Amino acid sequence: NYVEFRVGPRSYVLRRTLAWAAEQLEPASFVRVHRSRIVRIAAVRSVRPLTSGRYLLTLHDGTEVRSGRRQRALVRSAFGID
């Protein structure tokens, strides 16, 4: 039950659950893309479909994040994918 927040080059760790963290964040600005990851929508440069209903999100800093199958609908809605 640890959450790591990455803010630019800095990292902050809290002893909390990801569900708690999700409740603290603005739902219009953040999306849970995997059971262990939440991203800021504005930080995403591109979204590319992968197999099995997953997506590869590339952030503006070049970091790549894979979405989970269970979050497919959330990702599609957050990024306007038809």
Coordinates of all heavy atoms in Angstrom, one line a residue:
N1 N 0.8 -1.2 0.0 CA 0.0 0.0 0.0 C 0.9 1.3 0.0 O 0.8 2.1 0.9 CB -0.9 0.0 1.2 CG -2.0 -1.0 1.1 OD1 -2.3 -1.5 0.0 ND2 -2.7 -1.3 2.2
Y2 N 1.6 1.4 -1.0 CA 2.5 2.6 -1.2 C 2.1 3.2 -2.6 O 1.8 2.5 -3.5 CB 3.9 2.3 -1.2 CG 4.5 1.9 0.1 CD1 4.5 0.5 0.5 CD2 4.9 2.8 1.0 CE1 4.9 0.2 1.8 CE2 5.4 2.5 2.2 CZ 5.4 1.1 2.6 OH 5.9 0.8 3.9
V3 N 2.1 4.5 -2.6 CA 1.8 5.3 -3.8 C 3.0 6.2 -4.1 O 3.5 6.9 -3.2 CB 0.5 6.2 -3.6 CG1 0.3 7.0 -4.9 CG2 -0.7 5.3 -3.3
E4 N 3.5 6.1 -5.3 CA 4.6 7.0 -5.7 C 4.0 8.0 -6.7 O 3.4 7.7 -7.7 CB 5.6 6.2 -6.5 CG 6.8 7.1 -6.9 CD 7.8 6.3 -7.7 OE1 7.6 5.1 -8.0 OE2 8.8 6.9 -8.0
F5 N 4.2 9.3 -6.3 CA 3.8 10.4 -7.2 C 5.0 10.9 -7.9 O 6.0 11.2 -7.3 CB 3.2 11.6 -6.4 CG 1.8 11.3 -5.8 CD1 1.7 10.8 -4.5 CD2 0.7 11.5 -6.5 CE1 0.5 10.5 -4.0 CE2 -0.6 11.3 -6.0 CZ -0.7 10.8 -4.7
R6 N 5.0 11.0 -9.2 CA 6.1 11.6 -10.0 C 5.7 13.0 -10.5 O 4.7 13.1 -11.2 CB 6.4 10.7 -11.1 CG 7.0 9.4 -10.7 CD 7.5 8.6 -11.9 NE 8.0 7.4 -11.4 CZ 8.6 6.5 -12.2 NH1 8.8 6.8 -13.5 NH2 9.1 5.4 -11.7
V7 N 6.4 13.9 -10.0 CA 6.2 15.3 -10.4 C 7.4 15.9 -11.0 O 8.4 16.2 -10.3 CB 5.8 16.2 -9.2 CG1 5.4 17.6 -9.6 CG2 4.6 15.5 -8.4
G8 N 7.4 15.9 -12.4 CA 8.7 16.3 -13.1 C 9.8 15.3 -12.7 O 9.5 14.1 -12.7
P9 N 10.9 15.8 -12.3 CA 12.0 14.9 -12.0 C 12.0 14.3 -10.6 O 12.7 13.5 -10.2 CB 13.3 15.7 -12.2 CG 12.8 17.1 -11.9 CD 11.4 17.1 -12.4
R10 N 11.0 14.8 -9.8 CA 10.9 14.5 -8.4 C 9.9 13.3 -8.2 O 9.0 13.1 -8.9 CB 10.5 15.7 -7.5 CG 11.4 16.8 -7.8 CD 12.1 17.4 -6.6 NE 12.1 16.7 -5.4 CZ 12.3 17.3 -4.3 NH1 12.5 18.6 -4.2 NH2 12.3 16.6 -3.1
S11 N 10.2 12.6 -7.1 CA 9.3 11.4 -6.8 C 8.9 11.5 -5.3 O 9.8 11.8 -4.4 CB 10.1 10.2 -7.0 OG 9.3 9.2 -7.5
Y12 N 7.7 11.3 -5.0 CA 7.2 11.3 -3.6 C 6.5 10.0 -3.3 O 5.6 9.6 -4.1 CB 6.2 12.5 -3.4 CG 6.8 13.8 -3.7 CD1 6.7 14.3 -5.0 CD2 7.6 14.5 -2.8 CE1 7.2 15.6 -5.4 CE2 8.1 15.8 -3.1 CZ 8.0 16.3 -4.4 OH 8.5 17.5 -4.7
V13 N 6.8 9.4 -2.2 CA 6.1 8.1 -1.8 C 5.3 8.3 -0.5 O 5.8 8.9 0.5 CB 7.2 7.0 -1.5 CG1 6.5 5.7 -1.1 CG2 8.0 6.8 -2.8
L14 N 4.1 7.9 -0.6 CA 3.2 7.9 0.6 C 2.7 6.5 0.9 O 2.5 5.7 0.0 CB 1.9 8.8 0.3 CG 2.1 10.2 0.0 CD1 0.8 10.9 -0.4 CD2 2.7 10.9 1.3
R15 N 2.4 6.3 2.1 CA 1.9 5.0 2.5 C 0.4 5.1 2.5 O -0.3 5.3 3.5 CB 2.4 4.6 3.9 CG 2.0 3.2 4.3 CD 2.6 2.7 5.6 NE 2.1 1.4 5.8 CZ 2.7 0.5 6.4 NH1 4.0 0.6 6.7 NH2 2.2 -0.7 6.6
R16 N -0.2 4.9 1.3 CA -1.6 5.0 1.0 C -1.9 4.1 -0.1 O -1.0 3.5 -0.8 CB -2.0 6.4 0.6 CG -1.8 7.5 1.6 CD -2.8 7.4 2.7 NE -2.6 8.5 3.7 CZ -3.5 9.1 4.3 NH1 -4.8 8.7 4.2 NH2 -3.3 10.0 5.2
T17 N -3.2 3.9 -0.4 CA -3.6 3.0 -1.5 C -3.8 3.9 -2.8 O -3.9 5.1 -2.7 CB -4.9 2.3 -1.2 OG1 -5.9 3.3 -1.1 CG2 -4.8 1.5 0.1
L18 N -3.7 3.2 -3.9 CA -4.0 3.9 -5.1 C -5.4 4.4 -5.2 O -5.7 5.5 -5.8 CB -3.6 3.0 -6.3 CG -3.5 3.7 -7.7 CD1 -2.4 4.8 -7.7 CD2 -3.2 2.7 -8.8
A19 N -6.3 3.7 -4.6 CA -7.7 4.1 -4.6 C -7.8 5.4 -3.8 O -8.6 6.3 -4.2 CB -8.6 3.0 -3.9
W20 N -7.1 5.6 -2.7 CA -7.1 6.8 -2.0 C -6.6 7.9 -2.8 O -7.1 9.0 -2.9 CB -6.3 6.7 -0.7 CG -6.1 8.0 0.0 CD1 -6.9 8.5 1.0 CD2 -5.0 8.9 -0.2 NE1 -6.4 9.7 1.4 CE2 -5.2 10.0 0.7 CE3 -3.9 8.9 -1.0 CZ2 -4.4 11.1 0.8 CZ3 -3.0 10.0 -0.9 CH2 -3.3 11.1 0.0
A21 N -5.5 7.7 -3.5 CA -4.9 8.7 -4.4 C -5.8 9.1 -5.5 O -5.9 10.3 -5.8 CB -3.6 8.2 -5.0
A22 N -6.5 8.2 -6.1 CA -7.5 8.5 -7.1 C -8.6 9.4 -6.6 O -9.0 10.3 -7.3 CB -8.1 7.2 -7.7
E23 N -9.0 9.2 -5.4 CA -10.1 10.1 -4.8 C -9.6 11.5 -4.6 O -10.4 12.4 -4.6 CB -10.5 9.5 -3.5 CG -11.3 8.2 -3.6 CD -11.6 7.6 -2.2 OE1 -11.3 8.2 -1.2 OE2 -12.2 6.5 -2.2
Q24 N -8.3 11.7 -4.4 CA -7.7 13.0 -4.1 C -7.5 13.8 -5.4 O -7.4 15.1 -5.3 CB -6.3 12.9 -3.4 CG -6.3 12.0 -2.2 CD -7.4 12.4 -1.2 OE1 -7.5 13.5 -0.8 NE2 -8.2 11.4 -0.8
L25 N -7.4 13.2 -6.5 CA -7.1 13.8 -7.8 C -8.4 14.3 -8.5 O -9.5 13.7 -8.4 CB -6.3 12.9 -8.7 CG -5.0 12.4 -8.1 CD1 -4.4 11.3 -9.0 CD2 -4.0 13.6 -8.0
E26 N -8.3 15.3 -9.3 CA -9.4 15.8 -10.1 C -9.7 14.8 -11.2 O -8.9 14.6 -12.1 CB -9.0 17.2 -10.7 CG -10.0 17.8 -11.6 CD -11.3 18.1 -10.8 OE1 -11.2 18.6 -9.7 OE2 -12.4 17.9 -11.4
P27 N -11.0 14.3 -11.2 CA -11.3 13.3 -12.2 C -11.3 13.7 -13.7 O -11.0 12.9 -14.6 CB -12.7 12.9 -11.8 CG -13.1 13.5 -10.6 CD -12.0 14.5 -10.3
A28 N -11.4 15.0 -13.9 CA -11.4 15.6 -15.2 C -9.9 15.7 -15.7 O -9.7 15.8 -16.9 CB -12.1 16.9 -15.3
S29 N -9.0 15.6 -14.8 CA -7.6 15.8 -15.2 C -6.7 14.5 -15.2 O -5.7 14.5 -15.7 CB -6.9 16.8 -14.3 OG -7.6 18.1 -14.4
F30 N -7.2 13.5 -14.5 CA -6.5 12.3 -14.3 C -7.3 11.1 -14.7 O -8.5 11.1 -14.5 CB -6.0 12.1 -12.9 CG -5.0 13.1 -12.4 CD1 -5.4 14.4 -12.0 CD2 -3.6 12.9 -12.5 CE1 -4.5 15.3 -11.6 CE2 -2.7 13.8 -12.1 CZ -3.1 15.1 -11.7
V31 N -6.7 10.0 -15.1 CA -7.4 8.8 -15.5 C -6.6 7.6 -15.0 O -5.3 7.6 -15.2 CB -7.7 8.7 -17.0 CG1 -6.4 8.7 -17.8 CG2 -8.6 7.5 -17.3
R32 N -7.3 6.6 -14.5 CA -6.6 5.4 -14.1 C -6.5 4.5 -15.3 O -7.5 4.1 -15.9 CB -7.4 4.7 -13.0 CG -6.7 3.5 -12.4 CD -7.3 3.1 -11.1 NE -6.5 2.1 -10.4 CZ -6.7 1.7 -9.2 NH1 -7.6 2.3 -8.5 NH2 -5.9 0.8 -8.7
V33 N -5.3 4.2 -15.8 CA -5.0 3.5 -17.0 C -4.6 2.1 -16.8 O -4.6 1.3 -17.7 CB -4.0 4.2 -17.9 CG1 -4.5 5.6 -18.3 CG2 -2.6 4.3 -17.2
H34 N -4.4 1.7 -15.5 CA -3.9 0.4 -15.2 C -4.3 0.2 -13.7 O -4.4 1.2 -13.0 CB -2.4 0.2 -15.4 CG -1.9 -1.1 -15.3 ND1 -1.5 -1.7 -14.1 CD2 -1.7 -2.1 -16.2 CE1 -1.1 -2.9 -14.2 NE2 -1.2 -3.2 -15.5
R35 N -4.3 -1.0 -13.2 CA -4.7 -1.2 -11.8 C -3.6 -0.6 -10.9 O -3.8 -0.3 -9.7 CB -4.9 -2.6 -11.5 CG -3.7 -3.5 -11.7 CD -4.0 -4.9 -11.4 NE -3.2 -5.3 -10.3 CZ -3.2 -6.4 -9.6 NH1 -4.1 -7.3 -9.9 NH2 -2.4 -6.6 -8.6
S36 N -2.4 -0.3 -11.4 CA -1.3 0.3 -10.6 C -0.9 1.6 -11.1 O 0.2 2.1 -10.7 CB -0.2 -0.7 -10.6 OG 0.4 -0.9 -11.8
R37 N -1.6 2.2 -12.0 CA -1.1 3.5 -12.6 C -2.3 4.5 -12.9 O -3.3 4.1 -13.4 CB -0.4 3.3 -13.9 CG 0.9 2.6 -13.7 CD 1.6 2.4 -15.0 NE 2.8 1.6 -14.8 CZ 2.8 0.3 -15.0 NH1 1.7 -0.4 -15.3 NH2 4.0 -0.4 -14.8
I38 N -2.0 5.7 -12.5 CA -2.9 6.9 -12.9 C -2.0 7.9 -13.6 O -0.9 8.1 -13.1 CB -3.5 7.5 -11.6 CG1 -4.4 6.5 -10.8 CG2 -4.3 8.7 -11.9 CD1 -4.9 7.0 -9.5
V39 N -2.5 8.5 -14.6 CA -1.8 9.5 -15.3 C -2.6 10.8 -15.5 O -3.8 10.7 -15.5 CB -1.3 9.0 -16.8 CG1 -0.4 7.8 -16.7 CG2 -2.5 8.8 -17.7
R40 N -1.8 11.9 -15.6 CA -2.5 13.2 -15.8 C -2.7 13.2 -17.3 O -1.8 13.0 -18.2 CB -1.6 14.3 -15.4 CG -2.2 15.7 -15.5 CD -1.4 16.7 -14.8 NE 0.0 16.8 -15.3 CZ 0.4 17.5 -16.3 NH1 -0.4 18.3 -16.9 NH2 1.7 17.5 -16.7
I41 N -4.0 13.4 -17.7 CA -4.4 13.4 -19.1 C -3.5 14.4 -20.0 O -3.1 14.0 -21.0 CB -5.9 13.7 -19.2 CG1 -6.7 12.6 -18.6 CG2 -6.3 13.9 -20.7 CD1 -8.1 12.9 -18.4
A42 N -3.3 15.6 -19.4 CA -2.5 16.6 -20.2 C -1.1 16.2 -20.4 O -0.4 16.7 -21.2 CB -2.6 17.9 -19.5
A43 N -0.6 15.2 -19.6 CA 0.8 14.8 -19.7 C 1.0 13.7 -20.8 O 2.1 13.4 -21.2 CB 1.3 14.2 -18.4
V44 N -0.1 13.3 -21.5 CA 0.0 12.2 -22.5 C 0.1 12.9 -23.9 O -0.7 13.7 -24.3 CB -1.3 11.3 -22.4 CG1 -1.2 10.3 -23.5 CG2 -1.4 10.7 -21.1
R45 N 1.2 12.5 -24.6 CA 1.5 13.0 -25.9 C 0.7 12.2 -27.0 O 0.2 12.8 -27.9 CB 3.0 13.0 -26.2 CG 3.3 13.5 -27.6 CD 4.8 13.6 -27.8 NE 5.4 12.3 -27.6 CZ 6.7 12.0 -27.3 NH1 7.5 13.1 -27.0 NH2 7.2 10.8 -27.2
S46 N 0.7 10.9 -26.8 CA 0.1 10.0 -27.8 C -0.5 8.8 -27.1 O 0.0 8.3 -26.1 CB 1.0 9.7 -28.9 OG 2.1 8.8 -28.5
V47 N -1.5 8.2 -27.8 CA -2.1 6.9 -27.4 C -2.2 6.0 -28.6 O -2.7 6.4 -29.6 CB -3.5 7.2 -26.8 CG1 -4.2 5.9 -26.4 CG2 -3.5 8.2 -25.7
R48 N -1.5 4.9 -28.4 CA -1.5 3.9 -29.6 C -2.1 2.6 -29.1 O -1.8 2.1 -28.0 CB 0.0 3.7 -30.0 CG 0.1 2.9 -31.2 CD 1.6 2.8 -31.6 NE 2.3 2.2 -30.5 CZ 3.6 1.8 -30.6 NH1 4.2 1.9 -31.7 NH2 4.2 1.3 -29.5
P49 N -3.0 2.0 -29.9 CA -3.7 0.8 -29.6 C -2.7 -0.4 -29.6 O -1.8 -0.4 -30.5 CB -4.8 0.6 -30.6 CG -4.4 1.4 -31.7 CD -3.5 2.6 -31.2
L50 N -2.8 -1.3 -28.7 CA -2.0 -2.5 -28.7 C -3.0 -3.7 -28.8 O -4.2 -3.5 -28.9 CB -1.2 -2.7 -27.4 CG -0.2 -1.6 -27.1 CD1 0.4 -1.8 -25.8 CD2 0.9 -1.6 -28.2
T51 N -2.5 -4.9 -28.8 CA -3.4 -6.1 -28.8 C -4.2 -6.2 -27.5 O -3.8 -5.7 -26.5 CB -2.5 -7.4 -29.1 OG1 -1.6 -7.5 -28.0 CG2 -1.8 -7.3 -30.4
S52 N -5.2 -7.0 -27.6 CA -6.0 -7.3 -26.4 C -6.7 -6.1 -25.8 O -7.0 -6.2 -24.6 CB -5.2 -8.1 -25.4 OG -4.6 -9.2 -25.9
G53 N -7.0 -5.1 -26.5 CA -7.7 -3.9 -26.0 C -6.8 -3.0 -25.1 O -7.3 -2.2 -24.4
R54 N -5.5 -3.2 -25.1 CA -4.6 -2.3 -24.3 C -4.2 -1.1 -25.2 O -4.3 -1.2 -26.4 CB -3.4 -3.1 -23.9 CG -3.8 -4.2 -22.9 CD -2.6 -5.0 -22.6 NE -3.0 -6.2 -21.8 CZ -2.1 -6.9 -21.1 NH1 -0.9 -6.5 -20.9 NH2 -2.6 -7.9 -20.4
Y55 N -3.6 -0.2 -24.5 CA -3.1 1.0 -25.2 C -1.7 1.3 -24.7 O -1.4 1.1 -23.5 CB -4.0 2.2 -25.0 CG -5.3 2.1 -25.7 CD1 -6.4 1.6 -25.0 CD2 -5.4 2.5 -27.0 CE1 -7.6 1.4 -25.7 CE2 -6.6 2.4 -27.6 CZ -7.7 1.8 -27.0 OH -8.9 1.7 -27.6
L56 N -0.9 1.9 -25.5 CA 0.5 2.4 -25.1 C 0.4 3.9 -25.1 O 0.2 4.5 -26.1 CB 1.6 1.9 -26.1 CG 3.0 2.4 -25.7 CD1 3.4 1.7 -24.4 CD2 3.9 2.0 -26.8
L57 N 0.5 4.5 -23.9 CA 0.5 5.9 -23.7 C 1.9 6.4 -23.7 O 2.7 5.9 -22.9 CB -0.2 6.3 -22.5 CG -1.7 6.0 -22.5 CD1 -2.1 4.6 -22.2 CD2 -2.4 6.9 -21.4
T58 N 2.2 7.4 -24.5 CA 3.6 8.1 -24.4 C 3.4 9.4 -23.8 O 2.6 10.2 -24.3 CB 4.2 8.2 -25.8 OG1 4.2 6.9 -26.4 CG2 5.6 8.8 -25.8
L59 N 4.1 9.7 -22.7 CA 4.0 11.0 -22.0 C 4.9 12.0 -22.7 O 5.8 11.6 -23.5 CB 4.4 10.8 -20.6 CG 3.6 9.7 -19.8 CD1 4.1 9.7 -18.3 CD2 2.1 9.9 -19.9
H60 N 4.7 13.2 -22.4 CA 5.5 14.3 -23.0 C 7.0 14.1 -22.7 O 7.9 14.6 -23.5 CB 5.0 15.7 -22.6 CG 3.7 16.0 -23.2 ND1 3.6 16.3 -24.6 CD2 2.5 16.1 -22.7 CE1 2.3 16.6 -24.8 NE2 1.6 16.5 -23.7
D61 N 7.4 13.5 -21.6 CA 8.8 13.3 -21.3 C 9.4 12.1 -21.9 O 10.5 11.7 -21.6 CB 9.0 13.3 -19.8 CG 8.4 12.1 -19.1 OD1 7.8 11.2 -19.7 OD2 8.6 12.0 -17.8
G62 N 8.6 11.3 -22.7 CA 9.0 10.1 -23.4 C 8.7 8.8 -22.6 O 8.9 7.8 -23.2
T63 N 8.3 8.9 -21.4 CA 7.9 7.7 -20.6 C 6.7 7.0 -21.3 O 5.8 7.7 -21.8 CB 7.5 8.1 -19.2 OG1 8.5 8.8 -18.6 CG2 7.1 6.9 -18.4
E64 N 6.8 5.7 -21.4 CA 5.7 4.9 -22.0 C 5.0 4.1 -20.9 O 5.7 3.5 -20.0 CB 6.3 3.9 -23.0 CG 6.8 4.7 -24.3 CD 7.3 3.7 -25.4 OE1 7.6 2.5 -25.1 OE2 7.3 4.1 -26.5
V65 N 3.7 4.2 -20.9 CA 2.9 3.5 -19.9 C 1.9 2.6 -20.7 O 1.2 3.1 -21.6 CB 2.1 4.5 -19.1 CG1 1.2 3.9 -18.1 CG2 3.1 5.4 -18.4
R66 N 1.8 1.4 -20.3 CA 0.8 0.5 -20.9 C -0.5 0.5 -20.0 O -0.4 0.4 -18.8 CB 1.3 -1.0 -21.0 CG 2.4 -1.1 -22.0 CD 2.9 -2.6 -22.0 NE 4.0 -2.7 -22.8 CZ 4.0 -3.1 -24.1 NH1 2.9 -3.4 -24.7 NH2 5.2 -3.1 -24.8
S67 N -1.6 0.5 -20.7 CA -2.9 0.5 -20.0 C -3.3 -1.0 -19.8 O -2.7 -1.9 -20.4 CB -4.0 1.2 -20.8 OG -4.3 0.4 -21.9
G68 N -4.2 -1.2 -18.9 CA -4.7 -2.5 -18.6 C -6.0 -2.7 -19.4 O -6.7 -1.8 -19.9
R69 N -6.3 -4.0 -19.7 CA -7.5 -4.3 -20.4 C -8.8 -3.8 -19.7 O -9.7 -3.4 -20.3 CB -7.6 -5.8 -20.7 CG -6.6 -6.3 -21.7 CD -6.9 -7.8 -22.0 NE -6.8 -8.6 -20.8 CZ -5.7 -9.3 -20.5 NH1 -4.6 -9.3 -21.3 NH2 -5.7 -10.0 -19.4
R70 N -8.8 -3.9 -18.4 CA -10.0 -3.5 -17.6 C -10.3 -2.1 -17.7 O -11.4 -1.6 -17.4 CB -9.8 -4.0 -16.2 CG -9.9 -5.4 -16.0 CD -9.8 -5.8 -14.5 NE -9.6 -7.2 -14.3 CZ -9.5 -7.8 -13.2 NH1 -9.4 -7.1 -12.1 NH2 -9.3 -9.1 -13.1
Q71 N -9.2 -1.3 -18.0 CA -9.4 0.2 -18.0 C -9.6 0.7 -19.4 O -9.6 1.9 -19.7 CB -8.2 0.9 -17.4 CG -8.2 0.8 -15.9 CD -7.8 -0.5 -15.3 OE1 -7.2 -1.3 -16.0 NE2 -8.2 -0.8 -14.1
R72 N -9.9 -0.2 -20.4 CA -10.0 0.2 -21.8 C -11.1 1.3 -22.0 O -10.8 2.3 -22.6 CB -10.3 -1.0 -22.6 CG -10.5 -0.7 -24.1 CD -10.7 -1.9 -25.0 NE -11.9 -2.6 -24.6 CZ -12.2 -3.7 -25.2 NH1 -11.5 -4.3 -26.1 NH2 -13.4 -4.3 -24.9
A73 N -12.2 1.1 -21.3 CA -13.3 2.1 -21.5 C -12.9 3.4 -20.9 O -13.2 4.5 -21.5 CB -14.6 1.6 -20.9
L74 N -12.2 3.4 -19.8 CA -11.8 4.7 -19.2 C -10.8 5.4 -20.1 O -10.9 6.6 -20.2 CB -11.2 4.4 -17.8 CG -12.1 3.9 -16.7 CD1 -11.3 3.5 -15.5 CD2 -13.1 5.0 -16.4
V75 N -9.8 4.7 -20.6 CA -8.8 5.3 -21.5 C -9.5 5.8 -22.8 O -9.2 7.0 -23.2 CB -7.7 4.2 -21.9 CG1 -6.8 4.8 -23.0 CG2 -7.0 3.8 -20.6
R76 N -10.4 5.0 -23.4 CA -11.1 5.5 -24.6 C -11.9 6.8 -24.3 O -11.9 7.7 -25.1 CB -12.0 4.4 -25.1 CG -11.2 3.2 -25.7 CD -12.1 2.0 -26.0 NE -13.0 2.4 -27.1 CZ -12.8 2.1 -28.4 NH1 -11.7 1.4 -28.7 NH2 -13.7 2.4 -29.3
S77 N -12.6 6.8 -23.2 CA -13.4 8.0 -22.9 C -12.5 9.2 -22.6 O -12.7 10.3 -23.1 CB -14.2 7.7 -21.6 OG -14.9 8.8 -21.2
A78 N -11.4 9.0 -21.8 CA -10.5 10.1 -21.5 C -9.8 10.8 -22.7 O -9.6 12.0 -22.7 CB -9.5 9.7 -20.5
F79 N -9.5 10.0 -23.7 CA -8.8 10.5 -24.8 C -9.6 10.5 -26.1 O -9.1 10.7 -27.2 CB -7.5 9.6 -25.1 CG -6.6 9.7 -23.9 CD1 -6.5 8.7 -23.0 CD2 -5.8 10.8 -23.7 CE1 -5.6 8.8 -21.9 CE2 -4.9 10.9 -22.6 CZ -4.9 9.9 -21.7
G80 N -10.9 10.4 -26.0 CA -11.8 10.5 -27.1 C -11.6 9.5 -28.2 O -11.7 9.9 -29.4
I81 N -11.3 8.3 -27.8 CA -11.1 7.3 -28.8 C -12.5 6.6 -29.1 O -13.1 6.1 -28.2 CB -10.1 6.2 -28.3 CG1 -8.8 6.9 -28.1 CG2 -10.0 5.1 -29.3 CD1 -7.8 6.0 -27.3
D82 N -12.8 6.5 -30.4 CA -14.1 5.9 -30.7 C -14.1 4.4 -30.7 O -13.3 3.7 -31.0 CB -14.6 6.4 -32.1 CG -14.9 7.9 -32.1 OD1 -15.3 8.4 -31.0 OD2 -14.8 8.6 -33.1

